[in-house]
Amino acid sequence: MNKTCNCGILGLGSCFPKKVLTNHDLEKMVDTSNEWITKRTGISERRILDEDVPAHKLGVEAAKKALADAKVEPEEVDLIIVTTETPDYLTPSMSCLIQSEIGATKAAAFDLNAACSGFIYGMSVANQFIRSGFYKYVLIVGCEGLSKVVDWKDRNTCVLFGDGAGAVLFGPVEEGCGIITTYTGAAGELGKNITIPCCYISPEDIEARGGENKRTLWMDGSEVFKFAVKIMEHASTKVLDDAGLTMDDIKLIVPHQANIRILEGAAKRLNIPNDKVFSNLHRYGNISSASIPVGLTDAYSQKIISKGDNLILVGFGGGLTWGAAIIRWNK
Ligand code: COA
């Protein structure tokens, strides 16, 4: 066991499929319009995997980039956590597939499913392992292939989601930097609002899918919308209180990207300008647990954040689950 230390971000990377599906493409697939999608969601396009390509391939590339950014070798990684709600297989886990392909021969590996909140849940696990000195390097890969579970005939959902992966290597950082606090929560009684059946499907699930026994994503969009705006405010306020900080101390919020109106609604409740809330939703749509690590990678490469800045990361989604964290940028 090493001595205790702060846990922070050492490297970041992301990867997307090449294929772009625009709102205009969707107009040819379901009864929708570019105007409706842009106005109601903020999404212009999303990236989609070819049918014969498994989603973990995106995670492999994102993970390699994060390790190269950190200048850490794959063999040095102690633990890989892949956050996903769209694993290629139930077993082997996506984390084992990625572990093997990047050559992280000494790493333990497991998948974590907290839907769109997965990255924050993963961070809270990494923080415990690194702070305690038990592990030095923990790689979290948010890796999703939503296109494989979306019902491409359902206009209520198919316009919202996309595929992508974001990876972050966590490790020891100097005193005063890194993860300051994390908060995670769940309300299982609301889980019925977003479902993707897997090994079991109930009569209610079949009814929601128009009487068809299909294992596709179904969602009560307006219920989730109301939940998301409230929980973003609650979770952000909770981590600020826990850290003894105020919104004035925060440079940027990097939230889960589901709908621009959710982000604007939460900004209003938090009494902050919209430009304090990072968004890349127009390019990728909702990529579930990949959206926060991808958002961090984009914000960092666009030089919006620099060393010493305090960030709030906040996620919400299926389960229903939520989570938030405050991190002092150390790169
Ligand atoms: N194109 C055109 N019309 C559409 C449409 C589409 N792609 N999808 C839905 N509509 C229609 C509906 O059928 C409905 O028509 P009706 O009034 O004739 O029944 C109308 O638009 C309004 O539907 P409503 O559900 O009230 O829209 P909304 O403003 O709530 O927006 C969502 C719908 C799904 C975009 C929005 O609720 C949302 O983003 N929810 C949260 C999604 C989310 O975050 N999910 C993941 C959680 S991590």
Side-chain angles (χ1 to χ4, degrees), residues 18-326:
K18 284 204 176 66
K19 195 196 284 176
V20 176
L21 186 73
T22 66
N23 292 349
H24 294 291
D25 296 327
L26 281 161
E27 286 176 346
K28 295 172 203 137
M29 296 161 64
V30 286
D31 180 15
T32 191
S33 66
N34 174 46
E35 197 202 345
W36 192 95
I37 303 171
T38 312
K39 219 161 120 192
R40 307 301 292 162
T41 73
I43 302 166
S44 304
E45 58 186 44
R46 65 291 288 144
R47 301 295 189 89
I48 302 292
L49 280 160
D50 287 332
E51 254 170 56
D52 59 350
V53 179
H56 77 269
K57 296 288 180 193
L58 302 174
V60 168
E61 291 314 309
K64 284 181 183 167
K65 287 182 193 170
L67 290 176
D69 184 38
K71 300 188 176 59
V72 168
E73 296 300 322
E75 304 81 30
E76 296 179 83
V77 176
D78 297 299
L79 172 67
I80 299 174
I81 303 172
V82 173
T83 64
T84 186
E85 59 176 328
T86 52
D88 293 322
Y89 298 86
L90 289 180
T91 191
S93 62
M94 243 182 190
S95 50
C96 284
L97 295 170
I98 293 173
Q99 183 233 15
S100 150
E101 290 195 32
I102 66 172
T105 47
K106 299 200 180 79
F110 68 88
D111 284 3
L112 183 162
N113 178 355
C116 305
S117 318
F119 186 77
I120 305 289
Y121 272 68
M123 268 180 80
S124 69
V125 176
N127 194 29
Q128 301 307 318
F129 273 127
I130 290 168
R131 265 183 182 277
S132 68
F134 192 85
Y135 283 146
K136 188 170 181 193
Y137 296 124
V138 178
L139 179 65
I140 305 184
V141 189
C143 185
E144 303 281 6
L146 273 306
S147 66
K148 296 182 188 297
V149 296
V150 156
D151 181 349
W152 289 104
K153 292 192 181 112
D154 177 11
R155 71 173 184 174
N156 292 300
T157 52
C158 76
V159 303
L160 303 173
F161 297 95
D163 302 332
V168 176
L169 184 74
F170 287 90
V173 294
E174 65 199 82
E175 190 80 12
C177 277
I179 298 173
I180 295 172
T181 189
T182 63
Y183 163 55
T184 45
E189 71 280 7
L190 302 176
K192 60 181 186 305
N193 289 306
I194 312 179
T195 55
I196 310 174
C198 175
C199 300
Y200 170 76
I201 185 163
S202 73
E204 292 77 24
D205 294 326
I206 293 174
E207 197 187 327
R209 287 158 184 78
E212 285 184 64
N213 182 347
K214 48 187 181 185
R215 318 273 158 136
T216 47
L217 186 154
W218 179 88
M219 178 172 68
D220 184 334
S222 60
E223 281 303 308
V224 178
F225 190 99
K226 285 181 264 175
F227 160 81
V229 175
K230 281 191 212 140
I231 213 71
M232 240 186 97
E233 180 199 14
H234 161 72
S236 303
T237 309
K238 168 89 168 92
V239 286
L240 280 174
D241 289 348
D242 290 350
L245 298 174
T246 71
M247 208 43 105
D248 291 339
D249 301 311
I250 301 297
K251 174 76 184 291
L252 190 70
I253 299 185
V254 181
H256 169 52
Q257 308 281 314
N259 186 319
I260 197 71
R261 291 186 295 129
I262 293 176
L263 305 189
E264 289 168 359
K268 199 168 168 198
R269 279 169 166 260
L270 289 163
N271 206 15
I272 54 170
N274 288 336
D275 63 8
K276 203 163 178 168
V277 183
F278 183 80
S279 177
N280 54 14
L281 191 64
H282 55 292
R283 295 173 65 199
Y284 307 126
N286 182 342
I287 47 174
S288 192
S289 74
S291 77
I292 293 176
V294 163
L296 282 174
T297 307
D298 282 3
Y300 179 59
S301 65
Q302 291 164 22
K303 301 195 173 15
I304 302 173
I305 41 181
S306 45
K307 192 164 175 161
D309 285 342
N310 292 321
L311 311 181
I312 291 180
L313 316 181
V314 57
F316 49 84
L320 299 181
T321 55
W322 62 88
I326 294 186

